[in-house]
Every structure is written in structure tokens, then in C-alpha cells.
Amino acid sequence: QAKKYVKELCTSVTEELTAHQARLDSLAKKLATFKKETSERKMAAMLAEVVDGVSTSEKKVEALVTAAEIFSSESLESVSVDALKEAVEKSAAAEKEASAAIMDAKKILGSKEREARGAEAAAALGKLRSRMNTAQSDLAKAKKAAASGEKLIKGKEVLTEEGKRIW
């Protein structure tokens, strides 16, 4: 429209509009950068709590797996009943801690999944959910090994008692 006016006025208006358009483009880029950085900070803050919870639960499950390691060894027959009882006690305590940590992490993860907006946040939370599921399956395996350890203790005690009766 500026070209319809007098040539001098047309030139000055066009220059002014060009300057304003350049300024507008610059500010639009700044705004886009600001929005992106804000979104990244919000997501980092949201994920920090979940990552801490998942990491804690993974460490507790790892401690349980270490405590229950004796039950999955090949030389289980040569292990004394006292050593097995001690391992059962340690694994029971570690199992309680690991279960509590997983439940806490699940609560946090669930609340953050409800709050999450956008595909990026959903993808990050999906990865954390996968880590949580892995930790939970490791917990189940360790619980099963500890339960078989308790049965083994009972079996060894019965075998010892029956051996005494025979002699």
C-alpha cells in the first residue's frame, strides 16, 4: 500500500516498515528461544524428582540382588544353614527397602505422567517407566530367590533332624 503514495513518502514509509519488520523478526526469534529454554527448564525440574526416585529404587534393588546372590549360586548345598539364615534376614530387610523405594518412585512417576504436557516429556517419562519396570522385575527375581532360600533352610534343617534320628 505504501507504493500508492507519493514517491518520497513511499520511500520513507517503506524504509520505516522494513526497519520495524526487522525488529519484529528479531524479537520473534528471541521469544521463540525464551519459550524453548523455559520449556526445557520446566521439564528438567519435573524430571529431576522422578530421576532421583528411580535411581534410588534401582540402588535399593541392586542391594537386594547382592544380598540374595547366595541363593542363586551353584554351590548352594555346601553353604551352611547359618549363612543361609543370615542371607535371608539381609535380603528380607533389603527387600522391604527396595519395595518401599519402588512404591515411592511409582507414585512420583504417576503424578508427573498426569502433569506431563507434550511429546518430549512423555518420551522422557516413558524411558523412566521402562527403568522402573526393569527394577521391579529384578526385585521379583530376587524375592523368588530369597523364597527358595527359605525353603532350602527348612529342607536342610529337616534333613539334619532326620539324620540325627537315624543315627
Side-chain angles (χ1 to χ4, degrees), residues 9-110:
L9 183 60
C10 174
T11 308
S12 68
V13 168
T14 305
E15 288 174 3
E16 218 174 293
L17 286 175
T18 306
H20 286 302
Q21 186 64 41
R23 185 168 178 242
L24 177 67
D25 291 342
S26 168
L27 291 174
K29 285 180 184 177
K30 284 183 180 180
L31 179 63
T33 303
F34 176 75
K35 284 183 177 181
K36 181 182 174 195
E37 289 173 353
T38 302
S39 172
E40 288 172 356
R41 283 194 304 276
K42 281 182 180 179
M43 189 159 61
M46 178 187 70
L47 291 178
E49 188 179 4
V50 179
V51 169
D52 287 344
V54 171
S55 296
T56 301
S57 65
E58 286 174 334
K59 288 176 187 173
K60 302 271 184 181
V61 168
E62 188 61 37
L64 171 61
V65 168
T66 303
E69 204 170 77
I70 192 170
F71 303 121
S72 54
S73 67
E74 295 297 321
S75 59
L76 207 53
E77 295 298 322
S78 64
V79 178
S80 71
V81 173
D82 292 334
L84 288 173
K85 284 182 180 179
E86 183 180 332
V88 165
E89 289 173 9
K90 284 182 182 178
S91 62
E95 186 268 323
K96 285 181 183 177
E97 289 181 14
S99 292
I102 284 181
M103 292 307 291
D104 290 343
K106 274 185 165 182
K107 286 178 188 175
I108 294 167
L109 184 61

Side-chain angles (χ1 to χ4, degrees), residues 46-47 50 105-118 121-130 132-133:
M46 178 187 70
L47 291 178
V50 179
K106 274 185 165 182
K107 286 178 188 175
I108 294 167
L109 184 61
S111 70
K112 297 301 179 181
E113 282 177 334
R114 286 187 292 278
E115 294 173 12
R117 307 230 189 289
L125 289 171
K127 289 178 184 178
L128 290 170
R129 173 69 66 188
S130 168
M132 179 65 65
N133 291 340

Side-chain angles (χ1 to χ4, degrees), residues 113-164:
E113 282 177 334
R114 286 187 292 278
E115 294 173 12
R117 307 230 189 289
E120 211 174 294
L125 289 171
K127 289 178 184 178
L128 290 170
R129 173 69 66 188
S130 168
R131 284 176 51 190
M132 179 65 65
N133 291 340
T134 302
Q136 200 166 11
S137 69
D138 290 347
L139 174 69
K141 289 176 190 173
K143 273 184 176 180
K144 189 176 178 181
S148 69
E150 289 177 13
K151 290 177 184 175
L152 184 67
I153 290 172
K154 289 178 184 174
K156 281 190 172 193
E157 288 175 344
V158 167
L159 191 65
T160 305
E161 287 177 22
E162 292 301 318
K164 288 179 182 177

